[in-house]
Amino acid sequence: MIKEYLKLEKVEGPLIMVSDVDNVSYGERVKITIDGTETRHGKVIKIEDKLVVIQVFEGTTGISIHNSAIQFMGKPLEISLSPDLLGRVFNGIGEPIDGGYAIHTTNKQNINGRPINPVARKYPKNFIQTGLSSIDALMTLIRGQKLPIFSGNGMAHNELAVQIVNQAKIEGANSENFAVVFGAMGVRHDDAAYFKKSFETSGVLDHVIMYLNLADDPIVERISTPRTALTAAEYLAFERNMHVLVILTDITSYAEALREISSIRGEVPSRKGYPGYLYSDLATLYERAGMLEDREGSITLIPILTMPNDDITHPIPDLTGFITEGQIVLSRELNQKHIYPPIAVLPSLSRLMKDGIGEGFTREDHADLSNQLFSAYSHVQDIRSLAQIIGEDDLSDIDKKYLHFGKEFEERFISQGKNENRSITETLDLGWEIVSILPKTELDRIKPEMLDRFYRSNNEEG
């Protein structure tokens, strides 16, 4: 029998407090009935002796200490899991918002997931082709990897996310065993409409599950959204043996919701007001990606976050970088030059790239070419700085070739159309074409046998 509590101790922001409560667990689901008619839901977020603090998902507007009945359901927040999830749109706690039917199934799972035994993990190795040259060649995405995108306000991260979803191609995956789980936290209505329309137009919506928490939705729901999305991904990957690409945007909105709730709870703040457990909280999300030894499926995670003031040392990108396996950084400077995608090559990296490229995965020259492009583009930055001091006319001939290389690299290799899908062969061939602007003597990161096979000598002569 479920006990009902008819008097609240306090209502504060999105939280309500109930006293003299027994046998309640942290994270337990709560049913709140207002004036005997309206029903809302919440979860237990704090227990102090017999005082329980509850987050209300739909907000506390209209709730007073005398007009509400509280029932503790004896189980955590769960979502229904079924293949029918594909092609559907839900809110942050798994309720349909696309006008379709509710998912009825006996398979319900706790959104907090279960930790993956490190011994049971399979090391990620297989290359994922995104069709974007800068990512595929220089910061290669590997199946089962967690690779965040560090962006800034007003930059093209939404367009980049849509293009990756539309073009992502995993070896061994097809329309039957490939799915995308898209979780959006604190997004504007026009952004949510853009994502829906883009997926519909490109014809991928039937294998996409969307969990949307809009900017005017409760912040409490925002904290559950990524967990709900990852629970659906775990079901598809580890029970249905599918290859799942999870995109979560915007992690900054999630962290700010966490900070707001932490402040309301009276917790001692850490850096920039964020709770001291921000690192471990983000880890509970990111570490749910990966592959298991005894399962065919995989979860590849691309979290997107907007860096406040484009500050990569801000706690959110800083802590994210510690947990994940690299990062793709977007550049304000390239964005202002109208280069899309505006990927800043030098601060970006993929720590698992070395194990998923080369012969048998992409092409045998991939690693050498990637190292040389990084090295040459890094040298371009030094020469541009020098040119600002002495002027381009006084640069040496080889320095001028580096400037030409840098311009071609940005305008032809990094930059590409929003619907342009380049194969890895096209990407590597284009890389050789551009790096061959430089004389062979400058290409010290490439093995001689690779130079003999792939170098375009007509560029050097020109």
Side-chain angles (χ1 to χ4, degrees):
M1 178 180 170
I2 296 177
K3 190 185 291 187
E4 194 171 63
Y5 296 83
L6 300 177
K7 184 180 177 183
L8 308 183
E9 187 74 22
K10 190 178 181 184
V11 179
E12 185 176 333
L15 307 181
I16 57 177
M17 291 92 171
V18 185
S19 56
D20 298 324
V21 178
D22 295 309
N23 300 320
V24 171
S25 303
Y26 181 82
E28 187 171 331
R29 188 173 181 179
V30 180
K31 181 180 177 183
I32 304 147
T33 306
I34 305 165
D35 293 326
T37 55
E38 184 185 352
T39 301
R40 298 185 194 177
H41 300 91
K43 70 172 182 178
V44 175
I45 61 165
K46 191 174 183 180
I47 302 172
E48 285 185 356
D49 296 327
K50 291 195 172 185
L51 179 71
V52 173
V53 182
I54 302 164
Q55 287 180 344
V56 184
F57 289 123
E58 297 88 351
T60 56
T61 304
I63 296 179
S64 75
I65 60 173
H66 296 294
N67 72 344
S68 305
I70 310 298
Q71 290 180 308
F72 295 93
M73 308 307 292
K75 56 186 178 181
L77 181 61
E78 299 173 322
I79 60 168
S80 299
L81 297 171
S82 150
D84 295 338
L85 292 170
L86 291 166
R88 298 293 305 277
V89 183
F90 303 90
N91 66 11
I93 54 174
E95 297 171 340
I97 55 173
D98 56 1
Y101 55 87
I103 303 294
H104 293 291
T105 173
T106 55
N107 186 4
K108 295 188 176 184
Q109 290 187 15
N110 179 355
I111 66 165
N112 295 301
R114 291 165 297 187
I116 298 177
N117 185 337
V119 178
R121 284 185 180 270
K122 189 191 298 183
Y123 191 81
K125 280 190 175 180
N126 295 77
F127 157 72
I128 296 179
Q129 181 175 295
T130 64
L132 295 154
S133 291
S134 47
I135 296 177
D136 290 347
L138 303 172
M139 54 216 74
T140 311
L141 180 63
I142 305 299
R143 179 159 62 92
Q145 185 177 9
K146 37 195 181 287
L147 186 66
I149 296 174
F150 292 176
S151 183
N153 289 318
M155 286 205 274
H157 47 271
N158 289 341
E159 291 84 350
L160 182 58
V162 166
Q163 189 167 3
I164 290 173
V165 168
N166 291 343
Q167 298 178 179
K169 187 176 172 185
I170 301 176
E171 187 180 350
N174 54 48
S175 58
E176 297 298 316
N177 67 352
F178 177 67
V180 175
V181 176
F182 189 89
M185 295 151 280
V187 297
R188 299 175 306 182
H189 284 261
D190 56 340
D191 287 338
Y194 166 74
F195 288 126
K196 284 186 198 172
K197 185 178 178 182
S198 298
F199 295 151
E200 285 172 0
T201 304
S202 61
V204 300
L205 189 61
D206 59 341
H207 65 258
V208 175
I209 309 173
M210 298 183 73
Y211 291 94
L212 299 179
N213 169 265
L214 302 173
D216 56 351
D217 285 340
I219 60 166
V220 181
E221 181 186 299
R222 198 161 301 159
I223 293 171
S224 299
T225 304
R227 291 175 170 81
T228 305
L230 286 161
T231 302
E234 287 172 342
Y235 163 74
L236 293 175
F238 304 137
E239 292 188 30
R240 309 290 302 181
N241 290 321
M242 298 179 75
H243 299 298
V244 185
L245 176 63
V246 180
I247 294 183
L248 299 177
T249 182
D250 175 359
I251 295 295
T252 302
S253 294
Y254 168 83
E256 287 174 350
L258 207 63
R259 177 171 65 177
E260 191 170 335
I261 295 295
S262 173
S263 175
I264 292 169
R265 287 161 63 174
E267 295 171 344
V268 177
S270 184
R271 288 169 60 193
K272 293 189 183 292
Y274 291 95
Y277 51 80
L278 179 62
Y279 178 89
S280 56
D281 191 278
L282 290 174
T284 63
L285 303 180
Y286 300 149
E287 292 296 345
R288 291 172 74 172
M291 298 188 293
L292 298 178
E293 287 285 358
D294 59 346
R295 299 286 192 278
E296 290 295 319
S298 62
I299 299 175
T300 305
L301 176 61
I302 302 180
I304 300 173
L305 58 92
T306 51
M307 299 178 289
N309 301 317
D310 294 347
D311 179 12
I312 201 168
T313 66
H314 187 277
I316 304 169
D318 189 32
L319 297 177
T320 293
F322 278 116
I323 304 165
T324 54
E325 293 133 359
Q327 70 267 344
I328 299 169
V329 182
L330 302 193
S331 161
R332 182 76 61 185
E333 182 184 351
L334 292 179
N335 193 62
Q336 289 169 347
K337 289 181 182 177
H338 304 291
I339 289 174
Y340 171 87
I343 293 175
V345 168
L346 298 179
S348 302
L349 81 155
S350 167
R351 294 191 182 98
L352 301 183
M353 171 178 170
K354 65 185 186 302
D355 299 306
I357 63 171
E359 195 169 2
F361 296 105
T362 54
R363 207 168 71 182
E364 66 272 27
D365 58 312
H366 188 160
D368 282 3
L369 177 62
S370 171
N371 290 338
Q372 188 60 65
L373 288 171
F374 266 113
S375 175
Y377 190 56
S378 176
H379 192 49
V380 168
Q381 310 311 311
D382 297 334
I383 294 170
R384 284 175 175 171
S385 300
L386 179 63
Q388 287 179 341
I389 299 170
I390 66 172
E392 281 191 31
D393 292 340
D394 291 327
L395 294 174
S396 66
D397 289 342
I398 190 64
D399 285 350
K400 288 177 181 176
K401 285 198 171 186
Y402 269 104
L403 286 183
H404 179 44
F405 161 81
K407 185 172 184 290
E408 290 289 298
F409 181 73
E410 289 177 353
E411 294 180 357
R412 294 180 56 205
F413 191 84
I414 296 177
S415 180
Q416 63 185 91
K418 293 180 181 177
N419 296 309
E420 186 180 355
N421 188 356
R422 296 177 187 163
S423 69
I424 187 62
T425 302
E426 290 171 333
T427 287
L428 295 176
D429 287 346
L430 179 59
W432 276 107
E433 184 181 329
I434 292 172
V435 84
S436 297
I437 290 170
L438 302 172
K440 277 187 178 181
T441 52
E442 293 295 312
L443 306 183
D444 55 1
R445 301 298 181 96
I446 301 176
K447 298 183 188 75
E449 59 270 24
M450 293 295 177
L451 272 179
D452 293 339
R453 282 184 60 193
F454 294 103
Y455 186 79
R456 313 290 176 85
S457 57
N458 57 314
N459 279 8
E460 185 181 10
E461 291 163 8

